[in-house]
Amino acid sequence: MRQPHPTPELNLLEDQLRRFLVRDIAPHYHQWERAGIMPRELWRQLGAQGFLGADAAQAFAGAEAGYAAAACIIQTISAAGFAGLASAVAAHNEVAIPYVMDLGTDSQRQRWLPGMISGDIVGAIAMTEPSAGSDLKAIRGRAEKIAGGWRLNGQKTFITNGIHADLIIVAMKTDPDAGAKGISLFLVGADTPGFSRGRKLDKLGQNIADTAELFFENVEVGEDALLGGEGQGFACLMNELPRERLSFAIAALGACDAVLQDTLAYVQERKAFGVSVAQFQNTRFRLAELHARVEVLRAFVRQCIDRQSRAELGTADVSIAKLVSSEVQGELVDVCLQMFGGYGYMKEYPISRAYVDARGQRIYGGTSEIMKEIIARELLGR
Ligand SMILES: Cc1cc2nc3c(=O)[nH]c(=O)nc-3n(C[C@H](O)[C@H](O)[C@H](O)COP(=O)(O)OP(=O)(O)OC[C@H]3O[C@@H](n4cnc5c(N)ncnc54)[C@H](O)[C@@H]3O)c2cc1C
């Protein structure tokens, strides 16, 4: 049990999720990774088991189980070695649902949340464009006012759940001359005329989390599609980003736990020069170092989970959590893969997947360089 503050309810949730992962996910994971996408039906299974929207309000079909429950779900999936599934679920649970919950009107919540929590509606967040990722203010997608609503035109890329998504929360420019204040968010159903999906992108790792290009061509939506107010998009994104980034830190920690456990078992069993690999000082010291770093990281991530539970998590703190967790995970998978020797390079060994899956962590949700920029700004001012 590795929850920050274990309670009988959290223990039960973790046990139930672990059993689900062993029974319904593990036997098929390799095949879904090869296919580059998980089955759509899996979302409904996740919903039926109560793993979607665990902390959303009961009034909208959520379990209202608190943020610790939401964090437990991401950590447990990741600690089982299913980083791609953790990313897909995080995009839905930790980004799309909280956006609707926190920024939506009651009628928007009523329209979208029950389906998102049952798994009938898969959510995605679409900010990144081919020419604007880190620099979100530079997006070009445009929403123009028309009678009774808005007309959207633009292109998004690298969108997690882009292929399965039924609801896309999209950032568009509503006033190209107003900088950050000219961005607004829209709730777009995937059945809206003019919306289309491009390729399912072929990624290095985390393949079961489908990633896609999305196109908006004269997509007309009503006034009720505007989320969080006109011109408020950038401010809304900034408010919601801490939760998204914390989910990446939690996932990284889970992945570190999975890889360390696997490596500890392997080095004790594998023999070289008549002794186990675990007996070489290099193995012992490197594993001790990594374990120590993971435990220090865990203490900080737990603090962040507590602060997020009280809605007090700041941008700089979560940037530290995302930066350090991604970097620790990156080093850990590399060192551990080395301890597996040639077997570590074989796809049938989970460490090889953990190695490629880890690489994205330093990029999505804000790159490590952007995390450093945010931390430096807190230290030094602009
Ligand atoms: C697997 C995956 C899933 C994703 N899912 C989503 C999603 O669901 N929704 C979504 O909207 N986006 C998503 N993204 C996009 C992701 O958030 C962006 O890729 C990321 O923010 C970086 O943007 P970019 O790719 O345009 O890189 P760029 O912004 O072009 O950056 C290129 C390089 O320049 C560096 N750089 C940029 N600015 C600075 C600076 N000021 N100082 C120092 N260095 C800098 C970057 O760190 C990077 O190394 C996903 C990406 C991946 C890989």
Side-chain angles (χ1 to χ4, degrees), residues 127-142 153-159 171 173 213-215:
M127 301 183 257
T128 307
E129 297 184 354
S131 59
S134 304
D135 183 8
L136 271 180
K137 286 179 207 153
I139 59 168
R140 292 186 190 160
R142 186 82 170 88
N153 278 289
Q155 181 182 347
K156 298 289 172 180
T157 194
F158 303 148
I159 307 308
K173 277 259 164 85
E213 296 174 312
L214 304 178
F215 300 97

mmCIF file of all heavy atoms in Angstrom, residues 127-142 153-159 171 173 213-215:
data_model
loop_
_atom_site.group_PDB
_atom_site.id
_atom_site.type_symbol
_atom_site.label_atom_id
_atom_site.label_comp_id
_atom_site.label_asym_id
_atom_site.label_seq_id
_atom_site.Cartn_x
_atom_site.Cartn_y
_atom_site.Cartn_z
ATOM 1 N N MET A 127 -5.248 21.532 -27.205
ATOM 2 C CA MET A 127 -4.609 22.842 -27.165
ATOM 3 C C MET A 127 -3.566 22.945 -28.280
ATOM 4 O O MET A 127 -3.514 23.905 -29.029
ATOM 5 C CB MET A 127 -3.899 23.048 -25.820
ATOM 6 C CG MET A 127 -4.790 22.948 -24.621
ATOM 7 S SD MET A 127 -3.899 23.300 -23.100
ATOM 8 C CE MET A 127 -3.661 21.691 -22.447
ATOM 9 N N THR A 128 -2.694 21.911 -28.352
ATOM 10 C CA THR A 128 -1.516 21.967 -29.223
ATOM 11 C C THR A 128 -1.897 21.999 -30.709
ATOM 12 O O THR A 128 -2.809 21.294 -31.137
ATOM 13 C CB THR A 128 -0.622 20.734 -28.949
ATOM 14 O OG1 THR A 128 -0.363 20.685 -27.552
ATOM 15 C CG2 THR A 128 0.673 20.797 -29.720
ATOM 16 N N GLU A 129 -1.163 22.826 -31.448
ATOM 17 C CA GLU A 129 -1.341 22.910 -32.902
ATOM 18 C C GLU A 129 -0.016 22.579 -33.566
ATOM 19 O O GLU A 129 1.032 22.626 -32.905
ATOM 20 C CB GLU A 129 -1.777 24.332 -33.288
ATOM 21 C CG GLU A 129 -3.125 24.674 -32.676
ATOM 22 C CD GLU A 129 -3.656 26.046 -33.098
ATOM 23 O OE1 GLU A 129 -2.912 26.797 -33.785
ATOM 24 O OE2 GLU A 129 -4.803 26.345 -32.738
ATOM 25 N N PRO A 130 -0.045 22.303 -34.865
ATOM 26 C CA PRO A 130 1.227 21.967 -35.528
ATOM 27 C C PRO A 130 2.297 23.045 -35.321
ATOM 28 O O PRO A 130 3.479 22.735 -35.199
ATOM 29 C CB PRO A 130 0.835 21.850 -37.000
ATOM 30 C CG PRO A 130 -0.619 21.474 -36.966
ATOM 31 C CD PRO A 130 -1.202 22.140 -35.759
ATOM 32 N N SER A 131 1.877 24.307 -35.222
ATOM 33 C CA SER A 131 2.895 25.354 -35.083
ATOM 34 C C SER A 131 2.931 25.974 -33.691
ATOM 35 O O SER A 131 3.613 26.977 -33.481
ATOM 36 C CB SER A 131 2.662 26.442 -36.133
ATOM 37 O OG SER A 131 1.369 26.961 -35.943
ATOM 38 N N ALA A 132 2.217 25.436 -32.722
ATOM 39 C CA ALA A 132 2.235 26.015 -31.365
ATOM 40 C C ALA A 132 1.977 24.951 -30.312
ATOM 41 O O ALA A 132 0.892 24.358 -30.258
ATOM 42 C CB ALA A 132 1.184 27.113 -31.242
ATOM 43 N N GLY A 133 3.022 24.687 -29.495
ATOM 44 C CA GLY A 133 2.884 23.723 -28.407
ATOM 45 C C GLY A 133 3.185 24.400 -27.083
ATOM 46 O O GLY A 133 2.282 24.802 -26.344
ATOM 47 N N SER A 134 4.492 24.601 -26.811
ATOM 48 C CA SER A 134 4.879 25.267 -25.558
ATOM 49 C C SER A 134 4.291 26.673 -25.485
ATOM 50 O O SER A 134 3.874 27.125 -24.427
ATOM 51 C CB SER A 134 6.406 25.373 -25.464
ATOM 52 O OG SER A 134 6.993 24.111 -25.572
ATOM 53 N N ASP A 135 4.288 27.347 -26.622
ATOM 54 C CA ASP A 135 3.836 28.740 -26.667
ATOM 55 C C ASP A 135 2.360 28.783 -27.046
ATOM 56 O O ASP A 135 1.997 29.072 -28.188
ATOM 57 C CB ASP A 135 4.688 29.495 -27.709
ATOM 58 C CG ASP A 135 4.326 30.961 -27.775
ATOM 59 O OD1 ASP A 135 3.543 31.419 -26.917
ATOM 60 O OD2 ASP A 135 4.821 31.637 -28.700
ATOM 61 N N LEU A 136 1.519 28.516 -26.050
ATOM 62 C CA LEU A 136 0.085 28.367 -26.342
ATOM 63 C C LEU A 136 -0.577 29.643 -26.837
ATOM 64 O O LEU A 136 -1.558 29.597 -27.567
ATOM 65 C CB LEU A 136 -0.629 27.899 -25.076
ATOM 66 C CG LEU A 136 -0.712 26.389 -24.897
ATOM 67 C CD1 LEU A 136 -1.432 26.043 -23.621
ATOM 68 C CD2 LEU A 136 -1.406 25.740 -26.092
ATOM 69 N N LYS A 137 0.017 30.779 -26.428
ATOM 70 C CA LYS A 137 -0.599 32.040 -26.868
ATOM 71 C C LYS A 137 -0.519 32.181 -28.388
ATOM 72 O O LYS A 137 -1.208 32.992 -28.974
ATOM 73 C CB LYS A 137 0.126 33.217 -26.217
ATOM 74 C CG LYS A 137 -0.220 33.362 -24.758
ATOM 75 C CD LYS A 137 0.522 34.523 -24.142
ATOM 76 C CE LYS A 137 0.704 34.294 -22.675
ATOM 77 N NZ LYS A 137 1.867 34.945 -22.101
ATOM 78 N N ALA A 138 0.355 31.385 -29.015
ATOM 79 C CA ALA A 138 0.553 31.507 -30.467
ATOM 80 C C ALA A 138 -0.396 30.623 -31.276
ATOM 81 O O ALA A 138 -0.227 30.500 -32.492
ATOM 82 C CB ALA A 138 2.006 31.161 -30.808
ATOM 83 N N ILE A 139 -1.401 30.024 -30.619
ATOM 84 C CA ILE A 139 -2.302 29.174 -31.412
ATOM 85 C C ILE A 139 -3.012 30.028 -32.466
ATOM 86 O O ILE A 139 -3.228 31.242 -32.276
ATOM 87 C CB ILE A 139 -3.349 28.420 -30.543
ATOM 88 C CG1 ILE A 139 -4.234 29.388 -29.752
ATOM 89 C CG2 ILE A 139 -2.677 27.400 -29.656
ATOM 90 C CD1 ILE A 139 -5.446 28.711 -29.111
ATOM 91 N N ARG A 140 -3.372 29.353 -33.579
ATOM 92 C CA ARG A 140 -3.998 30.083 -34.692
ATOM 93 C C ARG A 140 -5.462 29.718 -34.885
ATOM 94 O O ARG A 140 -6.167 30.400 -35.618
ATOM 95 C CB ARG A 140 -3.265 29.751 -35.984
ATOM 96 C CG ARG A 140 -1.862 30.301 -36.007
ATOM 97 C CD ARG A 140 -1.271 30.045 -37.378
ATOM 98 N NE ARG A 140 0.141 30.343 -37.370
ATOM 99 C CZ ARG A 140 0.997 29.881 -38.268
ATOM 100 N NH1 ARG A 140 0.573 29.106 -39.242
ATOM 101 N NH2 ARG A 140 2.261 30.203 -38.209
ATOM 102 N N GLY A 141 -5.876 28.599 -34.300
ATOM 103 C CA GLY A 141 -7.278 28.161 -34.448
ATOM 104 C C GLY A 141 -8.191 29.307 -34.057
ATOM 105 O O GLY A 141 -7.958 29.998 -33.060
ATOM 106 N N ARG A 142 -9.240 29.497 -34.827
ATOM 107 C CA ARG A 142 -10.021 30.720 -34.691
ATOM 108 C C ARG A 142 -11.491 30.383 -34.434
ATOM 109 O O ARG A 142 -12.062 29.508 -35.109
ATOM 110 C CB ARG A 142 -9.864 31.476 -36.029
ATOM 111 C CG ARG A 142 -10.453 32.828 -36.102
ATOM 112 C CD ARG A 142 -9.561 33.881 -35.499
ATOM 113 N NE ARG A 142 -10.121 35.191 -35.841
ATOM 114 C CZ ARG A 142 -11.042 35.814 -35.113
ATOM 115 N NH1 ARG A 142 -11.479 35.281 -33.995
ATOM 116 N NH2 ARG A 142 -11.514 36.998 -35.484
ATOM 117 N N ASN A 153 -12.586 27.235 -36.727
ATOM 118 C CA ASN A 153 -11.707 26.744 -37.795
ATOM 119 C C ASN A 153 -10.302 26.571 -37.237
ATOM 120 O O ASN A 153 -9.782 27.486 -36.579
ATOM 121 C CB ASN A 153 -11.663 27.748 -38.960
ATOM 122 C CG ASN A 153 -12.852 27.577 -39.877
ATOM 123 O OD1 ASN A 153 -12.954 26.591 -40.607
ATOM 124 N ND2 ASN A 153 -13.786 28.532 -39.799
ATOM 125 N N GLY A 154 -9.689 25.427 -37.518
ATOM 126 C CA GLY A 154 -8.308 25.242 -37.064
ATOM 127 C C GLY A 154 -7.918 23.778 -37.060
ATOM 128 O O GLY A 154 -8.715 22.900 -37.420
ATOM 129 N N GLN A 155 -6.680 23.569 -36.659
ATOM 130 C CA GLN A 155 -6.140 22.199 -36.649
ATOM 131 C C GLN A 155 -5.394 21.975 -35.341
ATOM 132 O O GLN A 155 -4.658 22.854 -34.879
ATOM 133 C CB GLN A 155 -5.168 22.064 -37.829
ATOM 134 C CG GLN A 155 -4.558 20.685 -37.931
ATOM 135 C CD GLN A 155 -3.561 20.587 -39.080
ATOM 136 O OE1 GLN A 155 -3.494 21.471 -39.936
ATOM 137 N NE2 GLN A 155 -2.777 19.532 -39.097
ATOM 138 N N LYS A 156 -5.585 20.810 -34.752
ATOM 139 C CA LYS A 156 -4.873 20.457 -33.512
ATOM 140 C C LYS A 156 -4.075 19.185 -33.753
ATOM 141 O O LYS A 156 -4.426 18.373 -34.621
ATOM 142 C CB LYS A 156 -5.891 20.236 -32.382
ATOM 143 C CG LYS A 156 -6.728 21.479 -32.051
ATOM 144 C CD LYS A 156 -5.909 22.545 -31.350
ATOM 145 C CE LYS A 156 -6.671 23.848 -31.183
ATOM 146 N NZ LYS A 156 -5.880 24.897 -30.510
ATOM 147 N N THR A 157 -3.038 19.005 -32.966
ATOM 148 C CA THR A 157 -2.253 17.778 -33.136
ATOM 149 C C THR A 157 -1.788 17.225 -31.795
ATOM 150 O O THR A 157 -1.837 17.928 -30.788
ATOM 151 C CB THR A 157 -1.046 18.006 -34.085
ATOM 152 O OG1 THR A 157 -0.516 16.729 -34.463
ATOM 153 C CG2 THR A 157 0.068 18.848 -33.443
ATOM 154 N N PHE A 158 -1.349 15.970 -31.815
ATOM 155 C CA PHE A 158 -0.864 15.244 -30.628
ATOM 156 C C PHE A 158 -1.956 15.085 -29.574
ATOM 157 O O PHE A 158 -1.661 15.091 -28.372
ATOM 158 C CB PHE A 158 0.326 15.970 -29.963
ATOM 159 C CG PHE A 158 1.514 16.225 -30.837
ATOM 160 C CD1 PHE A 158 2.312 17.358 -30.637
ATOM 161 C CD2 PHE A 158 1.870 15.341 -31.838
ATOM 162 C CE1 PHE A 158 3.433 17.600 -31.426
ATOM 163 C CE2 PHE A 158 2.980 15.571 -32.640
ATOM 164 C CZ PHE A 158 3.768 16.705 -32.436
ATOM 165 N N ILE A 159 -3.202 14.955 -29.978
ATOM 166 C CA ILE A 159 -4.281 14.962 -28.983
ATOM 167 C C ILE A 159 -4.558 13.537 -28.456
ATOM 168 O O ILE A 159 -5.017 12.654 -29.196
ATOM 169 C CB ILE A 159 -5.571 15.599 -29.565
ATOM 170 C CG1 ILE A 159 -5.240 16.985 -30.147
ATOM 171 C CG2 ILE A 159 -6.665 15.676 -28.497
ATOM 172 C CD1 ILE A 159 -4.498 17.948 -29.213
ATOM 173 N N ALA A 171 -9.157 24.716 -27.476
ATOM 174 C CA ALA A 171 -8.759 26.118 -27.266
ATOM 175 C C ALA A 171 -8.683 26.804 -28.627
ATOM 176 O O ALA A 171 -8.036 26.294 -29.548
ATOM 177 C CB ALA A 171 -7.402 26.176 -26.578
ATOM 178 N N LYS A 173 -8.676 30.893 -30.683
ATOM 179 C CA LYS A 173 -8.550 32.356 -30.538
ATOM 180 C C LYS A 173 -9.910 32.990 -30.816
ATOM 181 O O LYS A 173 -10.496 32.761 -31.876
ATOM 182 C CB LYS A 173 -7.555 32.884 -31.575
ATOM 183 C CG LYS A 173 -6.093 32.767 -31.155
ATOM 184 C CD LYS A 173 -5.567 34.121 -30.667
ATOM 185 C CE LYS A 173 -4.269 33.998 -29.889
ATOM 186 N NZ LYS A 173 -3.093 33.977 -30.728
ATOM 187 N N GLU A 213 -4.477 13.782 -34.839
ATOM 188 C CA GLU A 213 -4.677 15.143 -35.360
ATOM 189 C C GLU A 213 -6.188 15.365 -35.426
ATOM 190 O O GLU A 213 -6.930 14.429 -35.748
ATOM 191 C CB GLU A 213 -4.143 15.242 -36.784
ATOM 192 C CG GLU A 213 -2.654 15.032 -36.906
ATOM 193 C CD GLU A 213 -2.208 14.990 -38.361
ATOM 194 O OE1 GLU A 213 -2.846 14.273 -39.158
ATOM 195 O OE2 GLU A 213 -1.233 15.671 -38.679
ATOM 196 N N LEU A 214 -6.618 16.590 -35.170
ATOM 197 C CA LEU A 214 -8.046 16.905 -35.254
ATOM 198 C C LEU A 214 -8.230 18.138 -36.126
ATOM 199 O O LEU A 214 -7.419 19.075 -36.061
ATOM 200 C CB LEU A 214 -8.610 17.193 -33.852
ATOM 201 C CG LEU A 214 -8.434 16.109 -32.773
ATOM 202 C CD1 LEU A 214 -9.010 16.574 -31.440
ATOM 203 C CD2 LEU A 214 -9.067 14.789 -33.193
ATOM 204 N N PHE A 215 -9.312 18.126 -36.916
ATOM 205 C CA PHE A 215 -9.575 19.250 -37.818
ATOM 206 C C PHE A 215 -10.949 19.862 -37.534
ATOM 207 O O PHE A 215 -11.921 19.138 -37.320
ATOM 208 C CB PHE A 215 -9.525 18.767 -39.276
ATOM 209 C CG PHE A 215 -8.180 18.194 -39.636
ATOM 210 C CD1 PHE A 215 -7.969 16.825 -39.595
ATOM 211 C CD2 PHE A 215 -7.124 19.021 -39.973
ATOM 212 C CE1 PHE A 215 -6.728 16.288 -39.903
ATOM 213 C CE2 PHE A 215 -5.877 18.495 -40.275
ATOM 214 C CZ PHE A 215 -5.678 17.124 -40.238
#
